Amino acid sequence: MRDGDQATGWDEAGDGVVPPGIDPTQPSIARVYDYFLGGKDNFAVDRAVAEEALRIAPDAREAGRANRAFLRRAVEHMVTEAGIRQFLDIGSGLPTQGNVHEIAQAKAPEARVAYVDNDPIVLAHGRALLATNGVTTVVAGDLRHPAEILENPEVTGLLDFSRPVGLLLVSVLHHLSDDEDPGGVMARLHRALAPGSHLAVVHFHNPGAEHPEASEIAEEAERSFNRNLGAGRWRSREEIRSYFGDMELVEPGLVPLADWRAEPEDLIRQNLTRHNVLAGLGRKP
């Protein structure tokens, strides 16, 4: 763990420059993930939450790396094999190496990407990063309100929903509680997608009796997330599969995150929590 926030210039005592709209005393999901990935855009409160998660699941950092590897492989599949040229990334998180626009535009420079997040730091960093990229935008939005995202003028001005879209919900759906109607949210998003669109999902998983040790980790981690971050659900395989609706799952289907089209060079050693995160890519017929 780093000492202080000298790398960012943020002063947690409140005497320095803190980005507008940021409460450095409250942890942020985006900043916790940033810490897992070795980023510098996090406060001590975020690192404390991340360290608690690491005590529960010591290979959580490997899960973060597996998450980025899946994102790369899924986007590359959508660009090169499905011919998709526009992407909607909801809950995009803080910019890091291997962002969606970098992956997609490396294969197809004309690919358009709309990033959506509700964290002010994500918006500030994303807009600064993409200031000169004319086919990429970053907008404020919340997955809990899908209609507002789909009707956002910046989104509709960039993406043509009459054509296939690559919708990315990578490590975001599990932050919706059951009473926030994730099934209804997904139904609204599905209706907006044209045939040939793809949906990439990464979701926390509780495997139950099939993998008892992983199930215990899921239950303890869920308690920690809800205590510290306000939302986190480790769902069953059946619940996660339902979010794809009538989509056809691209091979190898809905599988442990690190196993989705794994490549030897990824060198991901997610062992303890291997069954605690599932990933899949679906295609709308």
Side-chain angles (χ1 to χ4, degrees):
M1 182 180 297
R2 291 184 303 278
D3 294 326
D5 285 295
Q6 289 85 353
T8 64
W10 298 343
D11 183 348
E12 293 172 32
D15 298 326
V17 178
V18 176
I22 304 302
D23 181 353
T25 69
Q26 295 297 317
S28 153
I29 292 167
R31 298 195 306 264
V32 170
Y33 282 150
D34 176 70
Y35 177 73
F36 281 144
L37 292 170
K40 63 182 181 180
D41 297 315
N42 48 75
F43 292 112
V45 67
D46 306 304
R47 298 191 290 273
V49 171
E51 291 293 342
E52 181 175 326
L54 287 168
R55 285 193 292 274
I56 297 169
D59 63 352
R61 280 198 178 93
E62 290 297 303
R65 293 182 59 230
N67 196 60
R68 300 305 296 184
F70 166 79
L71 178 70
R72 174 179 54 79
R73 294 194 293 267
V75 171
E76 287 180 347
H77 172 90
M78 286 187 269
V79 173
T80 61
E81 298 185 46
I84 290 176
R85 294 295 184 269
Q86 49 182 2
F87 295 85
L88 178 60
D89 185 359
I90 302 178
S92 54
L94 282 158
T96 184
Q97 291 185 342
N99 299 294
V100 174
H101 72 282
E102 295 169 329
I103 301 165
Q105 291 168 7
K107 303 290 185 181
E110 73 278 17
R112 297 172 176 267
V113 181
Y115 293 106
V116 181
D117 208 287
N118 62 359
D119 189 308
I121 286 184
V122 172
L123 300 173
H125 281 247
R127 286 168 178 161
L129 175 69
L130 301 170
T132 60
N133 190 314
V135 290
T136 307
T137 190
V138 183
V139 303
D142 193 312
L143 179 60
R144 297 169 182 83
H145 308 292
E148 294 179 10
I149 295 172
L150 297 169
E151 296 165 8
N152 184 295
E154 287 189 60
V155 173
T156 58
L158 187 69
L159 306 182
D160 178 2
F161 284 98
S162 70
R163 300 177 62 82
V165 171
L167 174 59
L168 299 158
L169 297 175
V170 176
S171 295
V172 62
L173 263 171
H174 47 234
H175 295 302
L176 267 62
S177 62
D178 292 343
D179 61 8
E180 289 172 319
D181 190 22
V185 167
M186 291 308 301
R188 178 66 183 89
L189 291 171
H190 277 286
R191 290 197 300 272
L193 299 177
S197 293
H198 283 56
L199 167 65
V201 170
V202 174
H203 199 296
F204 291 158
H205 176 228
N206 187 335
E210 186 177 358
H211 297 284
E213 185 178 2
S215 183
E216 289 180 12
I217 290 172
E219 291 170 3
E220 186 175 356
E222 184 169 297
R223 288 192 292 270
S224 173
F225 257 72
N226 282 279
R227 181 173 63 253
N228 293 312
L229 294 167
R233 279 282 283 113
W234 274 247
R235 294 186 168 97
S236 69
R237 173 180 293 274
E238 293 72 24
E239 288 176 301
I240 299 168
R241 176 62 181 88
S242 73
Y243 298 143
F244 289 93
D246 63 355
M247 285 185 164
E248 305 159 350
L249 287 179
V250 174
E251 289 295 329
L254 186 61
V255 298
L257 174 60
D259 295 349
W260 200 91
R261 301 196 175 190
E263 298 172 354
E265 59 267 29
D266 289 331
L267 295 176
I268 294 168
R269 299 178 177 85
Q270 186 193 357
N271 299 314
L272 187 63
T273 62
R274 179 172 175 268
H275 297 287
N276 285 125
V277 191
L278 296 185
L281 180 66
R283 179 187 182 278
K284 186 171 182 176

